[in-house]
Amino acid sequence: MAVLGIESSAHTFGVGISDKGKILANSKEMYKITDKGMIPSRVAEFHASNARGVIQRAISESGIRLSEIEAISYTKGPGLGPCLRVGQLAAMTLSETLSVPLYPVNHAIGHIQITTHLSGFKDPLAVYVSGGNSQILGITDKGFRHYAIYGETLDIGVGNMIDNFARAARLNPAWGSTVAKVAENGHYMQMPYTVKGMDFTFTGLLTNAVKALSSHKVEDVAYSLQETAFSMIAEASERALLLSGKQGVILCGGVAQSKRLQEILAAMSKSHGVGFYTAPNEYNADNGAMIAYVGELMHRGGAKPRSGDYTIEQRYRIDGVELKWL
Ligand code: FE2
């Protein structure tokens, strides 16, 4: 018996199947982002036309029959409304057709929980970095059991900041991995560095880097932008680690694929004698497996969603989710 999870919060329509924490399938189709960015209605159309195919592929990849699925889960948010809606409708239809329970999942909890699970760490500090998010979190029982946000970006996510820089520098494709490649031959130059306690901001850094492009080599600007942003995240994470007393660090989310950020956080963790882990890239990119896995935790942990919970929420904050089932 297994749980099928659907992820559709942004450009990926993903379907995963988890059985007692073992990932049996992790299928996806990704919308190709053009230089115009993501138009939510277009991406939603893409998801709608791929939903059936990706679900079928996940089922056949898993080697189980549809009748063996004991629960369905989907990403409730945060994300783009029209995209979330496609996953929600597909999940509701499957749950009705199979007469099995349905679980709405917070996308960030998906990234953090699948990485925690694969790490084997008991209760780590989570550094969650993606296009739209950059947060440092840990589970706390203060008030109620939930993820406390120790620190976060006060403006834009680190992923969006790097993508914006890549577009301004006319790099192709305008992604973090391209910036990382260009940065390999760069030298450091001073950039604005803003950490406030355990929070940080990126827009000052971005504006400065874009301006610097007219008078400096792109390699040097890319290198300095990357080093500065990642050092800011590391400083805030180090403070959160010491304050929370957590005994391990996990790095998750799309930007966790950055080798340089992995290196910096691994060194920081090592200097405090705690373990560091980041999952294989297929789990750092958006995926259905993480939603299936959390759906399974909720199902086995006795989560009881009410009918009013089966919604989508574009700004679904992680720190408001009660983890009674964990
Ligand atoms: Fe994500």
Side-chain angles (χ1 to χ4, degrees), residues 7 9-10 107-108 111 128 130-131 133 253-254 284-287 290:
E7 155 62 29
S9 64
H107 181 87
H111 276 297
Y128 170 47
S130 65
N133 295 283
N284 284 324
D286 286 350
N287 64 91
M290 65 186 195

Side-chain angles (χ1 to χ4, degrees), residues 26-245:
N26 195 16
S27 291
K28 65 172 80 173
E29 282 297 336
M30 252 178 76
Y31 179 85
K32 265 215 173 79
I33 303 170
T34 62
D35 43 350
K36 290 189 188 82
M38 274 196 286
I39 300 164
S41 59
R42 293 256 170 86
V43 188
E45 251 172 60
F46 172 86
H47 288 349
S49 58
N50 281 289
R52 192 187 168 90
V54 180
I55 292 168
Q56 280 172 342
R57 217 161 62 214
I59 292 286
S60 70
E61 191 186 316
S62 72
I64 62 168
R65 282 188 299 271
L66 200 56
S67 57
E68 289 174 272
I69 298 290
E70 64 181 305
I72 304 289
S73 55
Y74 71 95
T75 303
K76 175 173 174 169
L80 302 168
C83 302
L84 290 167
R85 186 69 79 197
V86 177
Q88 177 213 24
L89 288 175
M92 280 177 140
T93 309
L94 274 174
S95 139
E96 280 292 322
T97 313
L98 300 172
S99 299
V100 295
L102 180 63
Y103 298 96
V105 173
N106 177 284
H107 181 87
I109 292 182
H111 276 297
I112 296 171
Q113 273 302 320
I114 191 85
T115 311
T116 302
H117 171 57
L118 296 170
S119 74
F121 297 162
K122 217 176 156 343
D123 177 29
L125 182 81
V127 181
Y128 170 47
V129 281
S130 65
N133 295 283
S134 301
Q135 295 176 322
I136 301 160
L137 320 97
I139 292 178
T140 174
D141 285 313
K142 274 187 196 140
F144 64 109
R145 188 165 170 76
H146 68 288
Y147 273 104
I149 301 171
Y150 299 124
E152 65 183 323
T153 174
L154 298 177
D155 46 35
I156 54 174
V158 64
N160 283 349
M161 188 275 286
I162 294 174
D163 291 352
N164 276 329
F165 170 77
R167 277 197 286 273
R170 298 185 192 285
L171 300 179
N172 190 17
W175 295 335
S177 55
T178 319
V179 175
K181 205 167 252 165
V182 171
E184 275 171 18
N185 304 313
H187 295 92
Y188 192 73
M189 53 193 269
Q190 197 84 28
M191 292 253 161
Y193 182 100
T194 324
V195 178
K196 301 171 180 175
M198 288 178 282
D199 295 324
F200 32 87
T201 63
F202 291 120
T203 42
L205 173 60
L206 174 63
T207 309
N208 184 279
V210 171
K211 251 192 220 157
L213 281 171
S214 58
S215 51
H216 293 79
K217 287 205 300 196
V218 64
E219 290 86 352
D220 294 348
V221 183
Y223 176 73
S224 309
L225 171 97
Q226 202 178 257
E227 289 298 302
T228 307
F230 293 169
S231 301
M232 281 159 53
I233 293 170
E235 181 189 331
S237 302
E238 186 169 29
R239 207 162 282 149
L241 179 68
L242 296 175
L243 194 89
S244 65

Side-chain angles (χ1 to χ4, degrees), residues 242-321:
L242 296 175
L243 194 89
S244 65
K246 301 280 185 197
Q247 290 302 308
V249 176
I250 59 157
L251 174 65
C252 60
V255 182
Q257 298 174 72
S258 159
K259 288 274 171 278
R260 182 63 185 135
L261 181 58
Q262 291 175 12
E263 220 170 75
I264 292 174
L265 285 177
M268 184 278 286
S269 306
K270 196 174 171 203
S271 74
H272 292 288
V274 304
F276 170 79
Y277 180 82
T278 190
N281 282 346
E282 68 169 308
Y283 299 110
N284 284 324
D286 286 350
N287 64 91
M290 65 186 195
I291 304 303
Y293 176 67
V294 174
E296 192 179 19
L297 288 178
M298 294 172 83
H299 185 56
R300 300 200 192 284
K304 296 258 176 291
R306 286 165 299 198
S307 58
D309 295 333
Y310 299 126
T311 52
I312 56 164
E313 215 176 303
Q314 296 197 64
R315 294 177 188 280
Y316 188 26
R317 291 273 299 188
I318 187 172
D319 48 352
V321 180

